Amino acid sequence: MIKNVSDPSIADILSTDALKIYNIPRYQREYTWGQRDWCNLYEDVFDNDPGYFLGSIIVIQSEIDPKTNIINFEVIDGQQRLTTISLLLAALYARLNEHPGAIDEDMSSDEIRPLRNRLV
């Protein structure tokens, strides 16, 4: 039975302020996406307006940590997209760190640090 439907953005899902953790259980299939899938997702993200629907992510809320109030979600569907977006952000972060001189004057390392925090 579906108890709740929401429409968070990827930024909301990956936000460090959200107090949510998305866990992919071991019984889910392994990561199988390849170049064609990556290209399709990349094109969906960059060829469409902000707020474009990337597909459903289905989760089950498992527990709330009483000490931290962090909500744990078990990802039932959408793990391939979440993993791919996380890998893309990790690659962008690594590239920015490898080439700090290439960072635009308008973008400081203080603006890149939140990306690292989201990935952790």
Side-chain angles (χ1 to χ4, degrees):
M1 172 194 326
I2 297 175
K3 292 187 178 184
N4 188 1
V5 176
S6 62
D7 188 18
S9 67
I10 293 297
D12 292 337
I13 291 171
L14 297 177
S15 173
T16 55
D17 298 329
L19 298 176
K20 296 178 183 177
I21 296 176
Y22 293 84
N23 294 305
I24 299 173
R26 292 186 170 264
Y27 64 78
Q28 290 289 2
R29 66 183 170 125
E30 65 184 42
Y31 184 74
T32 59
W33 274 23
Q35 187 170 357
R36 186 185 72 160
D37 303 299
W38 303 330
C39 288
N40 288 338
L41 181 63
Y42 181 87
E43 289 171 2
D44 278 349
V45 170
F46 290 101
D47 291 347
N48 291 288
D49 295 329
Y52 173 76
F53 180 67
L54 290 175
S56 297
I57 297 172
I58 299 173
V59 298
I60 296 173
Q61 183 176 331
S62 54
E63 59 186 52
I64 299 175
D65 185 317
K67 294 179 184 174
T68 62
N69 288 329
I70 293 176
I71 304 169
N72 287 296
F73 290 100
E74 188 175 305
V75 179
I76 303 302
D77 186 42
Q79 69 272 19
Q80 303 287 319
R81 277 173 279 132
L82 282 176
T83 301
T84 302
I85 289 167
S86 297
L87 291 170
L88 172 62
L89 293 175
L92 288 172
Y93 178 77
R95 279 299 216 197
L96 289 171
N97 272 339
E98 288 172 7
H99 305 285
I103 297 173
D104 188 293
E105 292 177 6
D106 295 335
M107 181 183 283
S108 68
S109 62
D110 290 336
E111 293 174 308
I112 295 170
R113 195 167 292 115
L115 175 60
R116 178 187 174 276
N117 292 341
R118 287 182 179 186
L119 294 171
V120 170

